[in-house]
Amino acid sequence: MRKAIYPGSFDPITNGHLDIIGRAAGIFDEIIVAVLHNDDKQHLFPIGERLQILRDSLAHLPNVTLQTFNGLLVDFAVQCGTNLVIRGLRMVSDFDYEFQMTLTNRQLKSDLETVFLMTDAAYSFLSSSVVRQVAAYHGKIDHLVPPASAQALRQRFADAS
Ligand code: PNS
């Protein structure tokens, strides 16, 4: 039974995240999408809303479960009983941050393995922060995010205007 964690902030989930989760779900028996629940970090959506958007967006993937975590990823991995972490790579500029994170995690827990999956080229420019910016100015976002994210973003920025 190969179980892997896909950690992130998911503020909110994009089609790029969804692409990575779908690929990972085809490779591993179980994927735990682990949402960082860190009160120090400023998020557009509170944890409850991020989880609801994720639940709606991942319902079609039976081997994907959803959990929150706080603190170190390595401790959460131990708690989950796995040493496998999935991360997506979009372009070369992701590499520095991902390399730093992977080596830090490996220093903390030597058997932690980070598996990198490349996103589809169509999503190589996409990030939650880009989507938040476009949505803030009422730009078109339906091709960038799953419907639950699009609806939540529209509501958030309609409320704000
Ligand atoms: O989607 P993100 O924001 O790029 O995800 C980053 C995340 C949540 C994977 C990363 O910040 C993380 O693992 N945070 C938990 C704290 C931790 O373990 N830090 C040590 C590794 S840098």
Side-chain angles (χ1 to χ4, degrees):
M1 175 85 177
R2 284 249 177 225
K3 190 186 336 182
I5 300 169
Y6 180 54
S9 306
F10 305 105
D11 188 33
I13 183 173
T14 68
N15 285 344
H17 294 127
L18 207 52
D19 176 55
I20 295 294
I21 297 168
R23 286 169 198 279
I27 299 171
F28 297 93
D29 298 304
E30 184 187 343
I31 302 295
I32 300 169
V33 173
V35 190
L36 183 66
H37 176 23
N38 181 350
D39 288 331
D40 298 342
K41 221 171 158 180
Q42 285 295 322
H43 293 294
L44 177 64
F45 294 107
I47 185 71
E49 216 170 336
R50 279 183 282 151
L51 284 172
Q52 188 54 54
I53 296 167
L54 280 160
R55 225 172 270 129
D56 292 346
S57 306
L58 301 173
H60 62 292
L61 295 167
N63 60 337
V64 175
T65 59
L66 200 51
Q67 288 198 43
T68 59
F69 79 105
N70 219 332
L72 290 175
L73 180 62
V74 292
D75 293 334
F76 181 69
V78 171
Q79 208 181 301
C80 292
T82 182
N83 65 337
L84 299 174
V85 170
I86 311 279
R87 291 289 288 173
L89 280 179
R90 290 164 298 186
M91 46 193 140
V92 179
S93 53
D94 280 341
F95 186 78
D96 282 354
Y97 174 57
E98 295 298 336
F99 192 59
Q100 187 182 33
M101 212 156 54
T102 298
L103 293 189
T104 304
N105 285 332
R106 196 181 288 164
Q107 284 235 317
L108 292 166
K109 191 176 186 303
S110 59
D111 69 341
L112 196 92
E113 291 295 352
T114 305
V115 178
F116 290 99
L117 298 178
M118 296 280 296
T119 77
D120 190 291
Y123 308 124
S124 60
F125 66 96
L126 193 54
S127 68
S128 297
S129 62
V130 159
V131 170
R132 290 196 301 268
Q133 275 183 36
V134 175
Y137 295 104
H138 309 289
K140 192 170 164 359
I141 50 169
D142 297 273
H143 58 305
L144 305 178
V145 293
S149 288
Q151 196 184 344
L153 283 161
R154 266 194 290 271
Q155 190 171 348
R156 173 55 53 98
F157 290 110
D159 290 349
S161 65

